[in-house]
Amino acid sequence: MAQPDVRVPGFDSVDFGLELQTESGSVFSVTWDPPGRFEGIGLREQPRLGTGVRADAAVAVWDVTGRSRWAALRGAEILDVRPHYQPWDEHVGSYWCPRITIAFLPATVDLLLGDAEPNQQLVPSADNIAIAFDLNPTTSPASTG
């Protein structure tokens, strides 16, 4: 396949997860977690292959550093990584994370539990990640709530 699963105006959509590699070589994976001990969207310092999926799994991998909306962020400094936790069961005091915001020096990227419906609108999803780009934020990432 030459293209990601879904690329629609405003966001990309991936089935299982993505990896981010820093300039120093650290690899972080983002994926949705099924119901259980962990649920929601998670960010871990580990590669997807060999941890999130078997090392010999037949997967499609797209390097987006030279194209797509990620190209504008190649080499950009990460200012903040913010998970957005929400109450899951207030009686038990548990939470889940449906969205993670990564603030780069020139932009912000939201990774969220979402998918594209047939009319290409963003809708919630328990087993898909939507990647929403704001390449021209109007406020400083440090000042957003």
Side-chain angles (χ1 to χ4, degrees):
M1 296 178 155
Q3 296 295 320
D5 291 346
V6 176
R7 184 172 183 188
V8 297
F11 69 97
D12 292 345
S13 176
V14 295
D15 284 335
F16 296 105
L18 64 133
E19 286 184 353
L20 301 170
Q21 183 173 0
T22 66
E23 193 172 272
S24 66
S26 296
V27 176
F28 295 85
S29 61
V30 179
T31 188
W32 55 271
D33 295 314
R37 183 171 173 217
F38 301 103
E39 189 166 346
I41 189 172
L43 172 68
R44 295 168 185 83
E45 188 173 359
Q46 63 188 25
R48 294 281 302 136
L49 287 175
T51 59
V53 295
R54 290 187 350 232
D56 63 347
V59 298
V61 176
W62 292 278
D63 180 353
V64 295
T65 55
R67 59 191 163 119
S68 85
R69 296 174 189 114
W70 287 107
L73 302 174
R74 184 175 186 176
E77 180 181 355
I78 296 175
L79 301 175
D80 190 22
V81 177
R82 184 173 303 159
H84 298 270
Y85 290 99
Q86 295 180 1
W88 179 259
D89 183 343
E90 294 182 26
H91 301 296
V92 179
S94 60
Y95 292 83
W96 71 301
C97 183
R99 178 171 61 114
I100 298 171
T101 300
I102 302 176
F104 293 86
L105 188 55
T108 58
V109 176
D110 280 306
L111 308 169
L112 56 141
L113 291 173
D115 201 352
E117 63 180 15
N119 67 2
Q120 298 188 341
Q121 295 298 309
L122 179 63
V123 294
S125 174
D127 60 0
N128 202 78
I129 297 175
I131 306 163
F133 297 84
D134 184 357
L135 299 177
N136 299 301
T138 56
T139 59
S140 164
S143 68
T144 60

